[in-house]
Amino acid sequence: MQRLRLYIPVIVGVMALVSAKAQDGSSAYNFLDITTSSRIYGLGGVNITLVDDDITTADQNPALLGQEMTKQLSLSYMRYIGGTNVAGLRYAHAVGAHGTVAAGIQYFGYGSMKETLADGTIVGDFSPLDVSFSGAYSHDINDYLRGGIDLKLLYSGYAEYSAFAIATDLGLNYYNPERDLSLSVVVANLGGQVKRFNESYDRLPIDVRLGWSQSFGNFPVRFSITAWNLTKWHLPYVDAGDGTKEPEVKDKFMSNLFRHLVFGADLVSSEKFYIGVGYNYKTRTDMSNYHRSFLSGLSLSAGIRVKSFGVGIAFAQPHNGATTFMVNLNCNIQELLN
């Protein structure tokens, strides 16, 4: 409890500083908000409280990284919106009796695009990309509390332009196994550009996130709620309707509230397999158009473990022209060699 009292003022101070410095408007490096975990993607794409021995969940919260993941290797791939390809590789290793380190790389490729001059003249093709190199460390503060930090080096290459940035995630997780209760706070994407594309400065999508997960009694379902984009309240969007009237800007209280929340539920009856479903209202409203899919905002995931190997898949369809599919392959090297 003494250590906890020391950490709480630090966390509150960081959150206050981030909230004061955050500004409304768009930011660059929004690929940082795309998870490479099929399990997280199936729970709505944002979840900072999922306590499991799946190393991919730690890309949402470094405090979820733990010694139970030691010598675990994960490979992920997702076919994302607009022909985007997302791939990731991550490895974890225990350090001492209470620490764990992890290293990873994430690749975001956006396909081939036409390169044009200011007057519209096509001069060729280019393939823009973003790459994130990460190193994380977590530490068990006590039997219930774990803290973590993730340092990310970000490279972006768009035609002849390139940029470099540094970002940091800070996380804290409280987990009570007797109640299967998990509570987390994350300050994500602290940092800034070291090398700019040009004269303009692109800021990172700094965010504060809070999360809750819990199952109840013998009921084999764990429920999760994650609040994100907490550095700003107003998240207006344009409702395109059914095409019979002019599009309308929505910025009411309930609309803003639910655009801050992501809901998830996953089956926890067995350690050998899982099934998850999530709902992200912000995704649904961001994809608002005349041809929005009935499944927009919903996501599904499933996975199975056989000995030292695990396979996870996830599916979502934000609108009719954007079906996304993700797959994760996990391997515990330590169990494999024994």
Side-chain angles (χ1 to χ4, degrees):
M1 290 301 297
Q2 290 180 348
R3 290 184 178 180
L4 179 58
R5 294 191 187 99
L6 292 176
Y7 277 88
I8 289 178
V10 175
I11 294 171
V12 172
V14 171
M15 292 176 63
L17 178 62
V18 170
S19 299
K21 293 295 184 181
Q23 302 175 11
D24 290 335
S26 61
S27 63
Y29 301 97
N30 288 301
F31 64 88
L32 293 171
D33 291 332
I34 302 175
T35 181
T36 56
S37 168
S38 60
R39 190 157 190 182
I40 297 296
Y41 194 67
L43 294 175
V46 185
N47 188 298
I48 63 173
T49 50
L50 189 63
V51 176
D52 198 80
D53 63 351
D54 183 348
I55 187 178
T56 64
T57 62
D59 79 349
Q60 292 278 294
N61 180 0
L64 298 180
L65 180 67
Q67 296 210 331
E68 64 275 10
M69 304 174 186
T70 187
K71 296 187 178 180
Q72 187 176 140
L73 179 69
S74 174
L75 178 65
S76 62
Y77 170 77
M78 176 168 61
R79 182 70 173 178
Y80 198 57
I81 298 172
T84 297
N85 294 290
V86 181
L89 181 68
R90 187 178 287 256
Y91 176 76
H93 195 89
V95 177
H98 301 284
T100 309
V101 296
I105 180 173
Q106 293 173 280
Y107 167 84
F108 303 81
Y110 308 107
S112 180
M113 300 181 182
K114 297 296 183 182
E115 184 176 1
T116 63
L117 300 178
D119 61 2
T121 303
I122 298 176
V123 295
D125 299 318
F126 71 104
S127 299
L129 60 86
D130 293 300
V131 182
S132 171
F133 303 91
S134 64
Y137 174 75
S138 70
H139 186 83
D140 296 328
I141 301 170
N142 57 38
D143 292 340
Y144 298 98
L145 200 63
R146 178 186 294 163
I149 181 171
D150 191 2
L151 178 65
K152 294 173 284 190
L153 306 179
L154 312 174
Y155 170 80
S156 300
Y158 304 156
E160 68 270 24
Y161 300 97
S162 63
F164 183 77
I166 299 177
T168 302
D169 295 343
L170 303 175
L172 190 66
N173 173 256
Y174 168 86
Y175 179 63
N176 186 331
E178 297 177 357
R179 301 174 57 192
D180 194 26
L181 170 64
S182 178
L183 303 171
S184 288
V185 56
V186 171
V187 180
N189 306 322
L190 289 169
Q193 279 189 314
V194 177
K195 180 182 181 296
R196 306 179 184 184
F197 284 111
N198 47 39
E199 295 301 320
S200 64
Y201 177 83
D202 295 317
R203 68 183 185 87
L204 272 65
I206 298 173
D207 193 15
V208 174
R209 301 170 183 176
L210 301 174
W212 164 84
S213 291
Q214 189 174 8
S215 61
F216 299 92
N218 295 323
F219 191 60
V221 176
R222 173 172 49 197
F223 300 95
S224 300
I225 300 177
T226 305
W228 67 318
N229 289 309
L230 297 183
T231 59
K232 52 188 175 183
W233 167 251
H234 290 281
L235 296 175
Y237 73 97
V238 177
D239 185 359
D242 58 4
T244 60
K245 59 181 181 180
E246 291 295 321
E248 180 182 359
V249 176
K250 299 286 189 177
D251 192 19
K252 296 182 179 180
F253 176 84
M254 293 303 295
S255 171
N256 283 309
L257 175 63
F258 279 96
R259 278 170 61 82
H260 283 285
L261 301 177
V262 179
F263 302 91
D266 60 320
L267 186 67
V268 292
S269 58
S270 173
E271 294 182 355
K272 299 298 182 181
F273 68 90
Y274 68 86
I275 299 173
V277 60
Y279 182 71
N280 189 322
Y281 183 69
K282 187 175 186 299
T283 296
R284 180 173 179 82
T285 50
D286 283 346
M287 295 296 173
S288 177
N289 58 45
Y290 305 143
H291 305 290
R292 180 174 58 194
S293 167
F294 171 77
L295 297 175
S296 181
L298 289 171
S299 54
L300 303 171
S301 64
I304 187 171
R305 297 175 184 173
V306 179
K307 295 183 179 180
S308 58
F309 292 94
V311 179
I313 59 174
F315 167 86
Q317 190 180 52
H319 60 76
N320 290 336
T323 298
T324 61
F325 179 80
M326 178 186 289
V327 59
N328 284 150
L329 300 175
N330 288 13
C331 174
N332 191 303
I333 298 176
Q334 179 171 292
E335 295 180 359
L336 185 64
L337 296 178
N338 289 340

